Structure formats: C-alpha cells, structure tokens
C-alpha cells in the first residue's frame, strides 16, 4: 500500500483539530461479548421506570455484593454484570441504545466497570428513594416540576455527605408535616451532577424553595423540623380572612361569583376550631379553589348562631351552595389539615362533563385539558379538580369525558384507558395525549407546553400518508422512558420549526399495524417523511439535535455515499478535491456520537474539504472490499494525483 503524509495535504489545520477526536472515537469502538439480558439481570420489566430500576438494583446490591459473599470467587464478576446493567438502564440515552441495538450499541466506556462498597449501597444510595412524601427529582423532570405553580422545597444532597445523612430523619418528619401543603423534593447530586451544577449548588445539603417565575430562596436556618416548617410557611401567602357581620356576606358572594368554595372555621374560647397555622396550611392546599376564613364566635355570637354554630366547628360551603340549603354544606369533624383537604376536594363539584353531543362545538373555540375516565377513577383524578386553579391563567379549561357512557367518542379517538389530553382549540383532530407521570405538577407542565407546541397525536385517520408537506413522526411506546424524555424536546423543536413542517407522535402499543408497516423495531424511532424521501433521526434526544438534523437535510453538509457515488466522486473524483469519509454502522455507539460532530465539522470545512459517509450495514460487501476494519473508520483521501488506496485512517497511514 502507498503512503502519504498528513503534511502533504493542502489544508492541514482543521484536520489536525479533528484527528484527536477521531482517534478517541476509534479507541472507544470495540466488540462486545455476548451476555445476559440487562432487564432479566435486574429482574425488572422492559417498561420499568427509573425508580423501579434503582430499587431493584439496590436490593441486588445488598445481597450479591462481593463484600457480603466472600466465599464466592465469581461474586465480583457477577456483581460487575449487575452493576453494568444498572448503569446502562438508569441512563435514558444508553437505555435506548441498548433497547435498539443490544450491547453492541453501547460503547466501551465501561459503564459499570467500577462499583462501590456494600456500605455505600446500604447507606448512601438514593437516601429518599423509598419515601412517599418526598419526591426524588432528576434532570428529566426538575424544571417542569418547579415551574408547575406549586411550591417546592428541595433538598440537594450528595450520597457521601454526612450532614446530608444527619438531616435525613428531620427531612422525613418535615415532609410528613407539610405533605400536601408544599411539595417536598430531593435531588441526588451524585446522579445528577449537571443539574446540581446548573443550579449553582456548591455545598451539601443545600435546601431551596422554588416557586414558578421567582428566584429560588435558600434556607440557611437551623436544620430542625420547626424552623423548616416556619421557613416554608412564610411562602404560603394565601390570605385567611377574619369574618364578621360587616364582611361575611360580601366574602361569600365574591367567592361564589368566582366559582370558588368557602371554608369557615368558627372559634369559641373552648377551642375546636382550626388553629392559625392549620388554617394557613389548608388555605395553601386549596388555593385557587376555596377561600378560607375564620370567625371569632366570642365576639360574633349572634352571627355564629345564624350559621347554627354553637361550639367550635368548621364548615365548607361548595361554590354556589345556598346558605339556607344545608344539604350541600359539609361539616368537617377533624382538625387535621390533610383530612380537611381530602374531604373538601371530594366534596367539590366534579369537572365539567363533555359528551359526544357538545364535544365538537366546545373544542372548536377553546383550549381544553380533557380527562378521559373509565369505571375506576384513580385517586389522582380527584385531584384533577385543582388543575382548574393552576391552568386558569393559561386560559386552559378543564373538563372530563366519561368513556363508559360515551364509548363511541373515546373509541373514535383510540382512547381505551384513562388519560388526559390537551385540545388546542382547533377542533377535534388537533390534540395531544399526556404520557408523563400521573401527578399534578407533571400534567400542568404538559398542558402549558402542549398548547404552545405543534405536536399532534396521530392515529390512522390523520396519519400523514399523502405527505403533501414534510412531517416528523415519532413512533413510540408510552412505557419507554427515553420516549417520554423525547416528547418535551419534540414540542420545543415543533415551536422552532412551526410552519415549515408538522410534528406527530404515533403510539405503537395502540397502532401496531401502522408501526409494523413502517418496520419500527425500537422506541422511539423518529422519522422525517418528505414527499417520497424518508430519513430516520439517529441523534441525541434533544430539540437542538432535531433542529440540526432538519437543517442538515435542507442544506446537507455531509455527502451520503453509496458504492457507485464513492467510485465516481471520491476515487475518480476531480483532482484537487480532498475527501474525508466516515465508514460507519448505524448500531455502533461511537458512530452515533460522531454523527452530529461530523456534520458540524463538515459545515466548518465546507469549501475546503468534502465530507462524506458510507453506511457499512447497507453496503457491507463494499466496505469489506475497502478493508474497513472497525467502526467508525475515518479516511482521508488527499486530492492530488490520487492513486487508488491512498488514504489515511484517522492518523494511521495506510
Ligand atoms: C375574640 O373576641 C374576644 C372578645 O372581643 C376577644 O377577647 C378574643 O381575644 C378574640 N379572640 C381572638 C382569637 O382574637
Ligand atoms: C423536502 O423536500 C423538498 C423538495 O425536495 C425540499 O426542498 C425541502 O428542503 C425538504 N424539506 C426538508 C425538511 O427536508
């Protein structure tokens, strides 16, 4: 084989820049030995959420760890495998690659090559993973949670920090006390390094209050339950009004005219009314749905009597209830804020019901969040009543469709289980179904994003088969975490590309036929249909990645080569044209990492060097005939007096 030197090339500088990158990538490429299914290793289903994966792994770590099985010579190897499975499945990007290509899709950065001591897994691994009142947030849901409109108090901790462990029992008690009043969260900065750095966390534990559209507030006080409660209560700014003869009827009228309920606690010297802090908590919990007031029955004895109250009591008047008609009024026999909240929420009128008769006309003019319900309604759906308060300022109305009574309507939308969907005010066809967690903050975030975005839930009747305009279609399964992570990014991209193309999602668990027609094998598979051409998106799950992909389709920077164009343009091409060619396989992890870099580089070099790529899975025998040995293999074909086979492989000269 002939030899040429890099310095013989006309434009050496950009190449020197990329060679180290390319070398690194090649070092990472490797062959994987066959081994066990990661999901089986951890004993979780393919649909498992990250939390389940963490819990399953922790259980295994506590029993299988080599520290605990000193007699077993294979313990180390076995645990390494489990650890690797965990490291891959907890990472959304790696998990998708694994789902799609198996182990050969992963690069050899040796995820899971090192593990921690048994003590670490026992004491330091996700301090709050098992606490119901504490919501462990990660980079995927942090922003939508703290921007939902609820108040969040978040504990940023680091697994190995001893002060974090000292705080844990107090934080748990505090969370129980404030459950329902504010959201108590935790972020494991060991697992979410970037997130914590982005939030400026530089010591552990760091405790911050987050409210939508306001600066986070740091807690610097003594780390006791009382001072934590005291600190957080100052953010509950809902007013509790003292009621008396002069204002009570106005208050009732104004609450009802806003569609709100009214809760009054009647206080006598003998007690049995809600104490000030409880009133404040209840007011915070029911903010936007119910006004809270209190009455001093020692000074307002007659007024209290007119409510038929003769000793301490708390009464709830639902919106529109008449004071004389005692039937709809609810007497509460508890002083516990959480119980009061539950009883009141249950007693509030249900969401407005849409039926097949009024569905079309209602949806034509307004933005709606619609809850589709079936026979058994989950406890979460009772809380949906709060959505009205959260979404009022976004001009999104909230309603319900009873899919048992209106089964034809739900069937026509391919809705066969409980879900919520946003209808964007453009009629019955333009809606998007929510696939995130069934919790309030997640639904609120979804609704706000979705009404501004242009992503449509597809089904056979609106699937773009005629393709008069470009469509980006995301084939996905709702249970797949990388799919869920991609959905918000699609929404962002759809806003940027609005008017230039359309965006749709197709749920392959419902529309099997369409998905198999398009030969979808892994989720998510994102495809751009443009006329007769079809391009699959292979990059990162980010809006920027998608935008770059589209930009590159419109103004391609990398020439896609096949055997004949390779011969024509690269081998026998014009004298003086220098080519850089990436021989890759779609399944190879490092190749995927290279794709966006390759495009970026091609744009940087445009006019100086031609940049191409060859898909060696499609053109396997061709790549073999070219002696391509590993993926990706980068070759430089210098222009002058080119003889066949004069090329340089990523710094090695051949
Ligand atoms: C209620 O009114 C009485 C009589 O005016 C007064 O002595 C008492 O302090 C008031 N109670 C409260 C909690 O304000
Ligand atoms: C779609 O195809 C048309 C015509 O071939 C082309 O001009 C346009 O740039 C393409 N759009 C995208 C987004 O690929």
């Amino acid at each position: 084989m002939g030899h040429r030197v890099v310095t013989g090339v006309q434009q050496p500088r950009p190449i020197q820049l990329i060679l180290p990158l390319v070398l690194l990538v090649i070092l990472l490429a490797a062959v994987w030995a066959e081994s066990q299914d990661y999901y089986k290793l951890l004993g979780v289903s393919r649909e498992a959420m990250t939390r389940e994966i963490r819990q399953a792994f922790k259980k295994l770590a506590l029993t299988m760890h080599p520290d605990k099985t000193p007699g077993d010579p294979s313990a180390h190897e076995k645990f390494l495998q489990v650890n690797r499975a965990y490291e891959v499945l907890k990472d959304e990007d790696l998990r998708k690659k694994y789902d799609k290509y198996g182990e050969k899709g992963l690069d050899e950065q040796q995820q899971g090559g090192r593990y921690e001591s048994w003590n670490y897994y026992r004491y330091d691994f996700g301090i709050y993973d098992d606490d119901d009142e504490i919501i462990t947030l990660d980079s995927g849901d942090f922003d939508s949670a703290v921007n939902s409109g609820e108040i969040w108090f978040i504990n940023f901790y680091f697994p190995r920090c001893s002060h974090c462990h000292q705080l844990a029992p107090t934080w748990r008690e505090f969370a129980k006390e404030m459950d329902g009043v504010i959201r108590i969260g935790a972020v494991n900065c060991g697992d979410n390094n970037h997130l914590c750095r982005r939030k400026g966390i530089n010591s552990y534990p760091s405790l911050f209050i987050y409210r939508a559209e306001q600066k986070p507030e740091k807690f610097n006080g003594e780390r006791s339950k009382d001072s934590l409660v005291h600190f957080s209560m100052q953010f509950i700014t809902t007013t509790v009004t003292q009621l008396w003869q002069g204002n009570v009827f106005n208050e009732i009228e104004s609450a009802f005219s806003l569609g709100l309920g009214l809760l009054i606690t009647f206080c006598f010297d003998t007690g049995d009314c809600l104490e000030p802090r409880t009133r404040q908590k209840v007011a915070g919990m029911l903010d936007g749905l119910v006004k809270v007031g209190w009455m001093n029955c020692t000074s307002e004895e007659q007024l209290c009597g007119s409510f038929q109250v003769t000793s301490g009591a708390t009464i709830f008047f639902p919106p529109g209830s008449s004071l004389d008609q005692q039937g709809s009024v609810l007497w509460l026999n508890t002083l516990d804020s959480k119980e009061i909240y539950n009883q009141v929420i249950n007693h509030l009128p249900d969401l407005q019901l849409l039926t097949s008769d009024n569905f079309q006309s209602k949806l034509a003019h307004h933005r709606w969040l619609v809850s589709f319900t079936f026979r058994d309604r989950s406890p979460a759906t009772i809380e949906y009543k709060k959505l009205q308060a959260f979404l009022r300022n976004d001009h999104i109305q909230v309603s319900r469709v009873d899919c048992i009574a209106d089964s034809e309507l739900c069937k026509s939308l391919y809705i066969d289980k409980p879900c919520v969907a946003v209808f964007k005010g453009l009629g019955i066809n333009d809606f998007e179904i929510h696939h995130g967690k069934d919790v309030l903050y997640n639904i609120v975030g979804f609704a706000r994003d979705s009404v501004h975005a242009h992503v449509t839930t597809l089904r056979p009747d609106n699937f773009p088969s005629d393709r008069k305009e470009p469509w980006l279609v995301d084939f996905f399964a709702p249970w797949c975490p990388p799919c869920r992570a991609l959905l918000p990014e699609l929404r962002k991209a759809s806003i940027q590309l609005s008017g230039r193309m359309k965006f749709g999602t197709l749920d392959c668990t419902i529309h099997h036929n369409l998905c198999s027609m398009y030969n979808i094998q892994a989720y998510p598979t994102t495809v751009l249909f443009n006329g007769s051409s079809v391009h699959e998106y292979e990059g990162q799950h980010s809006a920027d990645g998608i935008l770059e992909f589209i930009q590159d389709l419109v103004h391609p920077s990398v020439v896609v080569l096949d055997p004949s164009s390779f011969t024509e343009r690269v081998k026998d091409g014009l004298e003086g044209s220098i080519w850089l060619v990436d021989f890759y396989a779609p399944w190879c992890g490092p190749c995927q990492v290279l794709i966006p870099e390759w495009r970026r580089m091609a744009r940087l070099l445009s006019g100086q060097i031609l940049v191409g790529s060859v898909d060696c899975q499609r053109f396997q025998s061709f790549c073999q005939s070219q002696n391509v040995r590993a993926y990706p293999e980068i070759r430089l074909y210098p222009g002058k007096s080119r003889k066949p086979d004069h090329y340089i492989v990523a710094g090695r000269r051949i």
Side-chain angles (χ1 to χ4, degrees), residues 470 500-501 528 530-531 533 535 550 553-554:
R500 290 164 55 194
M501 51 190 300
L528 181 84
N530 188 15
S533 62
H535 306 271
I550 301 294
L553 282 176
V554 178

mmCIF file of all heavy atoms in Angstrom, residues 470 500-501 528 530-531 533 535 550 553-554, ligand 2:
data_model
loop_
_atom_site.group_PDB
_atom_site.id
_atom_site.type_symbol
_atom_site.label_atom_id
_atom_site.label_comp_id
_atom_site.label_asym_id
_atom_site.label_seq_id
_atom_site.Cartn_x
_atom_site.Cartn_y
_atom_site.Cartn_z
ATOM 1 N N PRO A 470 -43.782 18.175 4.653
ATOM 2 C CA PRO A 470 -42.910 17.335 5.477
ATOM 3 C C PRO A 470 -43.503 17.085 6.868
ATOM 4 O O PRO A 470 -44.072 17.999 7.468
ATOM 5 C CB PRO A 470 -41.617 18.155 5.583
ATOM 6 C CG PRO A 470 -41.743 19.304 4.666
ATOM 7 C CD PRO A 470 -43.170 19.450 4.286
ATOM 8 N N ARG A 500 -42.977 25.244 8.932
ATOM 9 C CA ARG A 500 -42.123 24.621 7.926
ATOM 10 C C ARG A 500 -42.352 23.132 7.814
ATOM 11 O O ARG A 500 -42.075 22.517 6.792
ATOM 12 C CB ARG A 500 -40.654 24.906 8.241
ATOM 13 C CG ARG A 500 -40.327 26.378 7.997
ATOM 14 C CD ARG A 500 -39.052 26.818 8.620
ATOM 15 N NE ARG A 500 -37.909 26.013 8.226
ATOM 16 C CZ ARG A 500 -36.741 26.050 8.842
ATOM 17 N NH1 ARG A 500 -36.562 26.823 9.881
ATOM 18 N NH2 ARG A 500 -35.743 25.301 8.436
ATOM 19 N N MET A 501 -42.820 22.520 8.889
ATOM 20 C CA MET A 501 -43.126 21.098 8.845
ATOM 21 C C MET A 501 -44.067 20.774 9.995
ATOM 22 O O MET A 501 -44.268 21.575 10.889
ATOM 23 C CB MET A 501 -41.859 20.278 8.963
ATOM 24 C CG MET A 501 -40.994 20.673 10.134
ATOM 25 S SD MET A 501 -39.404 19.877 10.051
ATOM 26 C CE MET A 501 -39.915 18.202 10.081
ATOM 27 N N LEU A 528 -38.397 11.481 9.449
ATOM 28 C CA LEU A 528 -38.899 12.601 8.667
ATOM 29 C C LEU A 528 -39.398 12.080 7.325
ATOM 30 O O LEU A 528 -38.654 11.461 6.573
ATOM 31 C CB LEU A 528 -37.813 13.644 8.425
ATOM 32 C CG LEU A 528 -38.359 14.824 7.620
ATOM 33 C CD1 LEU A 528 -39.049 15.818 8.524
ATOM 34 C CD2 LEU A 528 -37.292 15.497 6.804
ATOM 35 N N ASN A 530 -40.717 13.244 3.807
ATOM 36 C CA ASN A 530 -40.788 14.435 2.956
ATOM 37 C C ASN A 530 -41.000 13.958 1.527
ATOM 38 O O ASN A 530 -40.077 13.466 0.900
ATOM 39 C CB ASN A 530 -39.482 15.233 3.086
ATOM 40 C CG ASN A 530 -39.573 16.570 2.371
ATOM 41 O OD1 ASN A 530 -40.661 17.021 2.019
ATOM 42 N ND2 ASN A 530 -38.424 17.194 2.148
ATOM 43 N N GLY A 531 -42.216 14.102 1.017
ATOM 44 C CA GLY A 531 -42.504 13.549 -0.299
ATOM 45 C C GLY A 531 -42.200 12.057 -0.289
ATOM 46 O O GLY A 531 -42.655 11.339 0.587
ATOM 47 N N SER A 533 -39.192 10.859 0.125
ATOM 48 C CA SER A 533 -37.980 10.503 0.873
ATOM 49 C C SER A 533 -38.272 10.350 2.363
ATOM 50 O O SER A 533 -39.161 11.000 2.924
ATOM 51 C CB SER A 533 -36.878 11.530 0.626
ATOM 52 O OG SER A 533 -37.294 12.780 1.089
ATOM 53 N N HIS A 535 -36.246 9.891 6.128
ATOM 54 C CA HIS A 535 -34.961 9.969 6.821
ATOM 55 C C HIS A 535 -35.176 9.641 8.282
ATOM 56 O O HIS A 535 -36.021 10.243 8.935
ATOM 57 C CB HIS A 535 -34.379 11.375 6.727
ATOM 58 C CG HIS A 535 -34.266 11.886 5.328
ATOM 59 N ND1 HIS A 535 -33.151 11.681 4.560
ATOM 60 C CD2 HIS A 535 -35.144 12.577 4.559
ATOM 61 C CE1 HIS A 535 -33.344 12.239 3.371
ATOM 62 N NE2 HIS A 535 -34.547 12.777 3.345
ATOM 63 N N ILE A 550 -32.692 18.558 10.852
ATOM 64 C CA ILE A 550 -33.538 19.123 9.807
ATOM 65 C C ILE A 550 -32.729 20.096 8.948
ATOM 66 O O ILE A 550 -32.792 20.077 7.719
ATOM 67 C CB ILE A 550 -34.752 19.867 10.431
ATOM 68 C CG1 ILE A 550 -35.582 18.913 11.283
ATOM 69 C CG2 ILE A 550 -35.598 20.526 9.359
ATOM 70 C CD1 ILE A 550 -36.265 17.815 10.526
ATOM 71 N N LEU A 553 -30.746 18.313 6.531
ATOM 72 C CA LEU A 553 -31.496 17.730 5.412
ATOM 73 C C LEU A 553 -31.760 18.792 4.354
ATOM 74 O O LEU A 553 -31.723 18.529 3.158
ATOM 75 C CB LEU A 553 -32.829 17.173 5.901
ATOM 76 C CG LEU A 553 -32.777 15.834 6.607
ATOM 77 C CD1 LEU A 553 -34.163 15.474 7.112
ATOM 78 C CD2 LEU A 553 -32.266 14.757 5.667
ATOM 79 N N VAL A 554 -32.039 20.010 4.829
ATOM 80 C CA VAL A 554 -32.357 21.075 3.892
ATOM 81 C C VAL A 554 -31.077 21.560 3.197
ATOM 82 O O VAL A 554 -31.050 21.782 2.000
ATOM 83 C CB VAL A 554 -33.072 22.235 4.624
ATOM 84 C CG1 VAL A 554 -33.375 23.369 3.666
ATOM 85 C CG2 VAL A 554 -34.371 21.720 5.233
HETATM 86 C C1 LIG B 2 -38.441 18.460 1.493
HETATM 87 O O1 LIG B 2 -38.307 18.267 0.127
HETATM 88 C C2 LIG B 2 -38.259 19.455 -0.627
HETATM 89 C C3 LIG B 2 -38.259 19.092 -2.113
HETATM 90 O O2 LIG B 2 -37.426 18.024 -2.358
HETATM 91 C C4 LIG B 2 -37.036 20.257 -0.215
HETATM 92 O O3 LIG B 2 -36.945 21.446 -0.936
HETATM 93 C C5 LIG B 2 -37.131 20.560 1.272
HETATM 94 O O4 LIG B 2 -35.968 21.234 1.712
HETATM 95 C C6 LIG B 2 -37.312 19.292 2.079
HETATM 96 N N1 LIG B 2 -37.549 19.630 3.450
HETATM 97 C C7 LIG B 2 -36.957 19.022 4.484
HETATM 98 C C8 LIG B 2 -37.315 19.497 5.815
HETATM 99 O O5 LIG B 2 -36.197 18.107 4.327
#
